[in-house]
Amino acid sequence: MQQWRKFLPRVYDTFFGNRRDLLPSQKVAIPIVLEGKNLLLIAPTGAGKTEAVVAPLAEKALDFRGQTYALYIAPTRALANDLEVRLKERLERCGLRLAIRHGERNTVQGKQPPAFILTTPESLEVMLSVMPEYARERLREVRAVVVDEVHQFFGTRRGLQLVCLLERLKHHAQHPLQRIGLSATVAEPERVAKFLQGSDEPVQVASVKGQRQLQVYISFVVSPTPDDFGDAAAEWLNEILADHRKVLLFANTRATCDWLCWQLSERLSVPVLLHYSSLHRNYREWVEKTFRQTQRAVCVATSTLELGIDIGDIDAVALWGAPHSVTSFLQRLGRGNRRTDTSIVYAACPEWHPSGAPADPDDDLLRFVALTYCALNDEMETRSEPHYYSVLLQQLLALCCRYGCIAPDAFLATVSHRLPFCDEKTLSDILDALTEKGILERDVRRDLWLPNDEFHAWQAKGLFWSNIGGQESAIVIGEGKEQPIPLAEIPSQYAQGLRPGKIVVLAGKPRLVTRVESQSVWVTDLEHEDAELAKYFAPPEPTPQSVAQAIRTVLTMPNEALRELPVFYDDWARQQLRWWRQYLGERLKVKPWVADLRNGRWVLYTFGGSIVNWLLSDLLREMTTVSVNADAWRISCSHKIPLEQVLKDLSVGVLERVVEKRWRDYLRRLALPPLFDSLPEHLKQREVFSVLELPRVAETLRNLADSSALTVE
């Protein structure tokens, strides 16, 4: 202990004074951060990563009093707010002020400059582009940047934006940045470290393994009809609550969360809370506080609570349907039982969707077992780094905001880290497209592009700051007894179709629509047994090929290896898993693919992942007359097709033409950001082709064509 006090003489007692010893992640990280080196710290949820880097940064910041020493970048506003609660008082006891800046709050300005600023990429964009001079002065002083949950950014549009922002921050500050990334789940640490490094010094990777055990209990949630399914869901939760006081229940969509909250609230004897991103901030914060302080409760959530928001000690994590990635699975199970050596996870395979349509419990069953196998063997999905031309467009507009005009070489002069798909011709094409759309005006004499009225209209709408895909939204307002209460946001497309008198489940309860305005829907609470679920139009997350391949592994592994997995099955799950292993297992041991006739349909078990199966399905639709259904590991056709002929001479160009013919379908599937539509057509195509990884898909399908598994047995 005395050794670490010497390392942190001025802040140790504030951050670690009551502990007998530091946690392993803290012992690893503190010396590296104090030396000013760049660091990627990978450690399990609850391993003390935040304190491991904030404490040494605070020690260093005390040598730069009156200056802003560090930025702490979080992927969500909710996490930034939670970090403020956890860090503000401790930093103040060290004589350091913590400020927060995001779309809902801004405390940067004040008599005492903040030593730390908590923010998001979008708000850092605003600060660099249009904030008053006092904010830009604070940014000029920044010497260190912490990126929390760095896995959330790698390989995404927001991640590329963050790369550009850190380069612009470095250009603004005119000195190198100490770059620190934190995560519990990183598949390829060296690639993520390179992503974080940018144009600064290499990033050292420090990984601390978790020692916790895992127990996964898989159950079939079944009812005679969809109308009885709420009773079945409540019965499943009540069995969990018999052994646990506080349960965090994850679902994969907001509509499912709404339905679960509605149905469980009427049937459970404990409070049922709700948490997802489009709920109003005040409501989310109330849920976080209430769940943290309540002794017995259930909180239903989407991925928003996968991150490190403090919601107290959770006795058990429950999953309603399997998540689509190993990363998400690990993040979810890491939220529970932090004070014990075992993560307990209850996994539901629902028979019905909330809409009343039949679900696919077999798919959930096999994915749950596959995800458990991957988690135990550290097999996380890898990510590509697509060519996000839409981010280049967004950055050009942001730079134009900053300087009042944009020169053709401004981006390359400001962003020192060279992007492989960014060159002068590409940037010029984007600027020309913005000119044709009337967003910018070309000043040929000075070789500059200038903003016009449409540019300023876009800026007023906040279109320049974000690369998050989504739709325009309308706010749902509850007509309270004393004053209106903002509840949530829903897609404008859905809101415009609502009419007074409609009963809709919004924010987890049936609500009566009382009036509909251009950007708002007014509602009042109404107890009702039959209500429509709100439609969010969000595309499902694609399942990576690695997860689909893990399903194949589960079907073919020896019985001894299967028994070693810490999975406990109810009778249905055990029987169904045994059936699938008998049905496909032996054939898959000698063939990478299996084609079969099942229930009158021709089924091809590809184990290719969502994107491969999207493209193969659309290729079949283009070249045959079959009707096709697909998930991540199989494709079902109305009748047998000559697959060898369909895949003959397959090339990337063939797949490109398939995507072009079904262009709108792919745009919906990929949840593209609003500015994507302003790209020149050839760059739109390049970005979509890059996201879909068409060369990899073509190789996968050519391997299928070469396989002897295509003979129906």
Side-chain angles (χ1 to χ4, degrees):
M1 184 185 300
Q2 293 303 317
Q3 171 193 359
W4 298 107
R5 286 185 185 277
K6 292 179 181 178
F7 274 114
L8 306 169
R10 294 169 289 185
V11 305
Y12 182 90
D13 284 339
T14 298
F15 281 89
F16 309 113
N18 295 327
R19 297 184 185 175
R20 294 182 179 178
D21 197 6
L22 298 186
L23 298 172
S25 66
Q26 294 159 355
K27 293 179 180 180
V28 169
I30 287 172
I32 298 172
V33 176
L34 286 174
E35 290 175 16
K37 294 180 179 179
N38 296 336
L39 170 67
L40 171 60
L41 177 60
I42 305 169
T45 302
K49 295 186 292 295
T50 301
E51 291 81 1
V53 299
V54 172
L57 289 176
E59 184 71 41
K60 292 163 71 72
L62 288 170
D63 295 329
F64 295 85
R65 290 183 184 273
Q67 298 183 27
T68 296
Y69 188 81
L71 287 183
Y72 195 115
I73 299 174
T76 66
R77 299 170 182 176
L79 180 55
N81 292 338
D82 182 73
L83 286 163
E84 181 190 28
V85 173
R86 292 164 54 188
L87 296 174
K88 184 176 181 179
E89 183 181 347
R90 282 187 281 183
L91 288 170
E92 286 178 349
R93 292 206 303 268
C94 298
L96 301 170
R97 186 166 85 87
L98 174 68
I100 190 166
R101 171 63 170 95
H102 55 61
E104 297 167 339
R105 298 179 59 213
N106 180 12
T107 64
V108 173
Q109 192 172 16
K111 293 181 180 180
Q112 179 189 2
F116 288 74
I117 298 177
L118 279 167
T119 191
T120 62
E122 292 73 25
S123 287
L124 177 56
E125 182 74 81
V126 174
M127 285 193 280
L128 283 171
S129 302
V130 296
M131 282 285 279
E133 191 61 30
Y134 74 85
R136 288 201 291 273
E137 284 303 312
R138 299 284 75 82
L139 294 180
R140 188 171 284 118
E141 300 161 352
V142 170
R143 296 177 178 275
V145 177
V146 180
V147 180
D148 205 351
E149 308 287 359
V150 67
H151 67 277
Q152 292 273 333
F153 296 108
F154 178 66
T156 69
R157 290 181 181 83
R158 293 183 82 203
L160 180 60
Q161 179 184 7
L162 182 58
V163 167
C164 296
L165 287 171
L166 295 184
E167 293 301 309
R168 288 167 54 196
L169 176 64
K170 179 181 176 182
H171 182 267
H172 178 66
Q174 292 296 296
H175 54 243
L177 299 173
Q178 182 180 13
R179 305 187 186 210
I180 300 168
L182 306 177
S183 179
T185 50
V186 173
E188 297 175 292
E190 297 305 326
R191 287 182 64 206
V192 175
K194 194 72 175 176
F195 153 80
L196 186 63
Q197 173 186 341
S199 63
D200 278 316
E201 293 298 311
V203 175
Q204 182 174 337
V205 177
S207 182
V208 178
K209 295 291 185 182
Q211 302 297 321
R212 303 179 71 201
Q213 303 298 310
L214 176 63
Q215 294 178 2
V216 180
Y217 296 84
I218 302 180
S219 301
F220 181 37
V221 182
V222 57
S223 68
T225 69
D227 294 338
D228 306 314
F229 201 43
D231 293 332
E235 182 180 351
W236 176 68
L237 253 297
N238 269 321
E239 290 178 1
I240 298 171
L241 288 166
D243 297 319
H244 305 282
R245 297 174 303 132
K246 294 176 70 173
V247 178
L248 180 56
L249 172 58
F250 284 104
N252 294 324
T253 69
R254 285 170 287 184
T256 304
C257 283
D258 280 338
W259 181 85
L260 284 167
C261 184
W262 171 33
Q263 297 295 317
L264 296 176
S265 295
E266 297 179 347
R267 293 170 170 86
L268 298 184
S269 59
V270 302
V272 179
L273 306 170
L274 182 66
H275 196 288
Y276 53 73
S277 60
S278 54
L279 292 169
H280 190 266
R281 172 174 65 94
N282 292 345
Y283 181 83
R284 292 197 314 268
E285 291 177 353
W286 174 82
V287 166
E288 293 159 17
K289 180 180 179 180
T290 302
F291 196 49
R292 188 165 53 243
Q293 296 177 348
T294 302
Q295 294 298 312
R296 289 179 58 81
V298 172
C299 183
V300 186
T302 57
S303 58
T304 55
L305 288 184
E306 288 180 7
L307 307 180
I309 297 171
D310 181 12
I311 49 174
D313 192 40
I314 308 303
D315 298 311
V317 170
L319 307 179
W320 187 266
H324 294 273
S325 68
V326 183
T327 298
S328 183
F329 182 65
L330 287 169
Q331 290 288 137
R332 294 180 183 190
L333 65 88
R335 298 313 310 270
N337 306 94
R338 292 191 183 184
R339 296 179 183 175
T340 69
D341 294 331
T342 303
S343 291
I344 300 175
V345 180
Y346 294 91
C349 304
E351 183 182 20
W352 306 99
H353 289 295
S355 64
D360 190 350
D362 284 29
D363 178 60
D364 282 317
L365 164 65
L366 294 178
R367 273 197 289 146
F368 274 130
V369 182
L371 291 168
T372 304
Y373 168 82
C374 291
L376 292 174
N377 290 276
D378 293 326
E379 294 185 10
M380 286 181 284
E381 56 279 337
T382 60
R383 284 186 182 174
S384 64
E385 296 181 77
H387 295 176
Y388 291 127
Y389 298 99
S390 55
V391 177
L392 299 183
L393 183 147
Q394 177 267 324
Q395 287 292 294
L396 290 171
L397 292 173
L399 285 169
C400 191
C401 284
R402 172 68 181 89
Y403 297 106
C405 61
I406 185 76
D409 62 346
F411 179 84
L412 295 174
T414 307
V415 178
S416 300
H417 180 62
R418 290 292 173 257
L419 306 175
F421 60 94
C422 178
D423 54 32
E424 293 181 5
K425 175 65 166 57
T426 298
L427 295 169
S428 178
D429 287 349
I430 294 173
L431 290 169
D432 287 342
L434 290 169
T435 304
E436 290 177 11
K437 288 181 175 290
I439 310 304
L440 300 176
E441 295 178 1
R442 178 77 188 276
D443 185 335
V444 178
R445 182 178 62 83
R446 294 189 294 166
D447 196 21
L448 295 174
W449 279 263
L450 307 175
N452 63 14
D453 291 343
E454 189 66 17
F455 176 97
H456 295 299
W458 281 19
Q459 181 180 339
K461 293 180 180 179
L463 295 179
F464 296 168
W465 320 131
S466 173
N467 286 285
I468 299 174
Q471 309 137 335
E472 290 189 18
S473 59
I475 188 166
V476 178
I477 302 173
E479 298 191 83
K481 295 180 180 179
E482 298 179 359
Q483 61 182 7
I485 302 172
L487 298 172
E489 292 181 350
I490 57 176
S492 293
Q493 178 184 348
Y494 176 69
Q496 290 166 5
L498 294 176
R499 296 291 181 268
K502 188 80 172 177
I503 302 171
V504 185
V505 180
L506 296 165
K509 292 182 179 180
R511 320 266 182 177
L512 175 67
V513 177
T514 57
R515 54 186 161 127
V516 179
E517 299 175 351
S518 59
Q519 294 297 320
S520 61
V521 176
W522 292 72
V523 300
T524 186
D525 291 2
L526 180 71
E527 292 188 12
H528 205 274
E529 295 182 357
D530 185 19
E532 176 183 293
L533 291 172
K535 295 180 175 62
Y536 293 96
F537 306 114
E541 179 185 351
T543 299
Q545 184 172 0
S546 58
V547 173
Q549 286 290 312
I551 293 176
R552 184 183 184 280
T553 299
V554 165
L555 294 175
T556 58
M557 66 171 52
N559 289 329
E560 297 77 12
L562 183 67
R563 283 194 291 269
E564 289 179 0
L565 295 179
V567 181
F568 303 87
Y569 310 91
D570 70 1
D571 291 341
W572 171 88
R574 183 179 296 104
Q575 178 181 339
Q576 288 302 106
L577 181 59
R578 183 185 300 118
W579 186 90
W580 278 106
R581 282 169 55 81
Q582 292 172 348
Y583 180 62
L584 291 177
E586 290 303 318
R587 287 177 286 171
L588 288 172
K589 289 178 182 178
V590 295
K591 298 178 180 180
W593 319 80
V594 170
D596 211 346
L597 287 171
R598 175 164 160 75
N599 297 329
R601 292 181 68 86
W602 191 77
V603 183
L604 176 64
Y605 298 93
T606 68
F607 305 98
S610 295
I611 291 178
V612 167
N613 283 1
W614 288 350
L615 285 155
L616 178 54
S617 297
D618 288 338
L619 187 65
L620 295 177
R621 293 184 182 102
E622 290 295 323
M623 302 184 69
T624 71
T625 59
V626 298
S627 65
V628 184
N629 298 316
D631 57 25
W633 54 285
R634 58 197 164 170
I635 293 176
S636 168
C637 303
S638 55
H639 54 270
K640 185 178 183 299
I641 51 135
L643 193 58
E644 299 92 333
Q645 296 179 23
V646 171
L647 298 179
K648 184 180 180 181
D649 300 324
L650 180 71
S651 66
V652 173
V654 170
L655 295 179
E656 288 178 350
R657 289 191 288 276
V658 169
V659 175
E660 289 169 4
K661 288 183 178 179
R662 297 180 174 271
W663 185 246
R664 292 187 180 277
D665 290 341
Y666 282 92
L667 296 189
R668 283 193 294 270
R669 286 168 172 166
L670 297 177
L672 299 161
L675 290 177
F676 174 85
D677 198 46
S678 299
L679 282 171
E681 292 300 321
H682 69 287
L683 294 184
K684 288 182 186 178
Q685 289 187 342
R686 287 188 200 172
E687 179 164 333
V688 169
F689 294 163
S690 178
V691 170
L692 293 173
E693 296 183 88
L694 295 187
R696 179 188 65 83
V697 174
E699 180 181 0
T700 300
L701 293 179
R702 281 194 292 266
N703 290 338
L704 171 60
D706 294 337
S707 170
S708 61
L710 301 183
T711 303
V712 177
E713 299 183 10

